[in-house]
Structures are given as C-alpha cells and as structure tokens.
Amino acid sequence: MHWDEYPNGRWGDSRSPAFGELTDYHLTQVHTVDEADRKAAYGSQLSGVADVNALFAKFLKGEINRLPWCTALDVETNALKESLAKLCDSGFLTINSQPRVNAASSTDEVHGWGGPGGVVYQKAYIEMFCSPAHLAAIKAALPEHKSIQYSAVNTKGQYETSAKNKVNAVTWGVFPDREIVQPTVVDEESFLVWKDEAFGLWLSQWKKLYEEGSSSAKVVQDIYDQYMLVTIVDNDFINGNIFAFMDSAVAKLGK
C-alpha cells in the first residue's frame, strides 16, 4: 500500500496527490456546532487570557467537551493529558499532539496502524498557540535540548523555524515486503496553509459569541492579532522527552 492511501490531514505532505483544501474536510464537526453549545463550553464572558488558558486546560481534563480546534481527544492523548493541561495553564495553548513511539506493533491497540506484521514509530510533537514571550522562552530552551525543533507563524504570515528541512516524517512504519510507509509528516507548506484556518477559528468560532466591542471580544481579538501558531517536534523517538523541553521553556518565562 502506498502511503498516499493514508489520510494526510493537516500533517500531510503538500507534494502528495492527497493534499487538498484543508477546509474541505478539516474540523467539520467543530464548524457545525451551534452558538449555544459553543457559548456553554467557552463561557459567556472572558476577563483575560488566563480565562482562555483555563478553558484549554479544562478541555484536556474533560470538564468541557470542545474547543474550536477539536471535539474529542485521540486515545493516545490520554497519557499526555495531565502534562498538556499544565502547559495550557502556563499559556502554551495546545491543539494537537502525539507521543513518541519506538517500535510498537502495528496491531497495538493505542498506537498501531497499517495492518498486521508491522512495526511503527512516532516522533513526539505538540502544536499550540502562544504569545511572542512564550515563543521566546521556547527558543531560549533550545540549546539545552538538541533534538528539538520548532516552527512558528503569525496571522501576518511571518514565519520562522529552527528546522533544516521543509519536510519531517513524524510517523512511519516498517511492514513485510513493503517500502517504509510515512503517513504523517510535518510539512512547511501545509503548515502555512493550515495557519489561516487555525487562526480564523478564533474569530469565527469564539469571538463571534461576544458582542462586538466587548472586553471578551477584545481578549479573543488580541490573541488572534498577537499570538503565534507553533509546532514543536522532538526528533529523538528513542529517548526523547518533549515535556522536559517544555518544562525548560516554562521555567524561562519572564527571565
């Protein structure tokens, strides 16, 4: 089976024939949720970014059932929930992640894919929104963690990265009598396409819940205007610890 027979999603290779308009299929369930349900989840008002941080953490704790970017957690996220919630409380607003996996069976109940007889691998990654100050903390922590790379972009399209290559495989599998299968890559071009929808959801799914000109609407607008969309990848899929890196970044906030 050629890897293009696997869905690409936003973590897809823009060179692939399967890569298309993200809005054709991405987050359809989120987009169809009515305003009353969203307001029940996100609250009738926001006093500041701390309220937003807390809502992201509540989603990971199962206290609310949706965010504009996600309506359910993947099974493999269960082991990460506590660490991700702590990051959200610290202002790193996570919307996507996966753990590292080193040589799991392709039939593993949590991490398996691709059919029987194979061995699968994953690099840990986290996708998030954060302020420029939080991004500076991420960059300050990089020298202590050589296996980590980041990419970041804002609504204006201003992009920066520590990656040396534009495409990085983060999920792959080895199967009998087949080429290496790579269903998931972090791809610069698809990341830059996705950022328009990712940022747009702040406005279409969250800001619109509040009266124009209200303090709550301003909280969301300021995040849209100022924050960065960031991906963190740990290239060490054998011994890496992406949360140790993020702990270092949290420790550098305000320094």
Side-chain angles (χ1 to χ4, degrees):
M1 182 180 291
H2 191 275
W3 74 271
D4 278 334
E5 293 182 52
Y6 290 84
N8 291 98
R10 69 177 179 274
W11 293 117
D13 190 336
S14 58
R15 300 167 299 180
S16 162
F19 182 84
E21 292 293 329
L22 290 171
T23 51
D24 287 346
Y25 55 84
H26 187 63
L27 299 173
T28 300
Q29 289 180 312
V30 176
H31 292 170
T32 56
V33 173
D34 67 34
E35 182 175 319
D37 286 343
R38 282 184 281 127
K39 184 167 286 189
Y42 313 149
S44 58
Q45 67 179 47
L46 300 170
S47 60
V49 294
D51 288 348
V52 176
N53 298 351
L55 284 166
F56 274 75
K58 284 182 177 180
F59 173 72
L60 287 157
K61 296 172 184 176
E63 296 175 15
I64 61 174
N65 64 1
R66 68 183 68 255
L67 288 172
W69 305 267
C70 33
T71 58
L73 297 177
D74 290 337
V75 174
E76 68 177 4
T77 306
N78 287 333
L80 311 179
K81 288 190 298 185
E82 183 176 346
S83 295
L84 292 170
K86 289 179 180 178
L87 288 179
C88 292
D89 282 330
S90 297
F92 297 97
L93 304 178
T94 67
I95 59 172
N96 192 17
S97 62
Q98 74 175 28
R100 68 174 177 86
V101 173
N102 181 27
S105 168
S106 61
T107 56
D108 182 90
E109 290 186 0
V110 176
H111 305 297
W113 53 270
V119 180
V120 298
Y121 302 83
Q122 291 182 176
K123 295 177 183 178
Y125 70 71
I126 302 173
E127 181 184 24
M128 68 187 79
F129 293 100
C130 70
S131 72
H134 284 66
L135 178 60
I138 287 172
K139 293 161 68 174
L142 285 175
E144 304 162 19
H145 301 267
K146 301 299 185 182
S147 65
I148 299 290
Q149 66 184 58
Y150 84 96
S151 299
V153 67
N154 62 15
T155 54
K156 301 178 183 67
Q158 296 169 323
Y159 175 75
E160 59 181 87
T161 183
S162 64
K164 295 180 180 179
N165 297 297
K166 292 187 175 183
V167 179
N168 185 357
V170 293
T171 304
W172 66 98
V174 181
F175 295 86
D177 199 28
R178 289 162 62 183
E179 294 180 355
I180 300 296
V181 184
Q182 291 179 193
T184 317
V185 299
V186 171
D187 172 82
E188 179 182 315
E189 187 172 340
S190 58
F191 177 60
L192 295 177
V193 171
W194 157 239
K195 67 95 177 169
D196 291 330
E197 184 176 5
F199 277 107
L201 292 173
W202 283 105
L203 305 184
S204 66
Q205 298 294 306
W206 203 327
K207 182 187 174 185
K208 282 188 175 181
L209 297 176
Y210 309 119
E211 183 178 349
E212 188 66 34
S214 67
S215 58
S216 296
K218 184 178 186 303
V219 169
V220 181
Q221 184 68 52
D222 286 349
I223 290 173
Y224 174 87
D225 290 337
Q226 300 169 17
Y227 274 37
M228 310 291 292
L229 177 65
V230 181
T231 61
I232 306 292
V233 177
D234 187 348
N235 288 295
D236 185 353
F237 60 90
I238 299 173
N239 297 308
N241 188 338
I242 198 168
F243 290 107
F245 168 74
M246 291 306 304
D247 286 344
S248 297
V250 170
K252 293 182 183 298
L253 284 171
K255 290 187 176 181

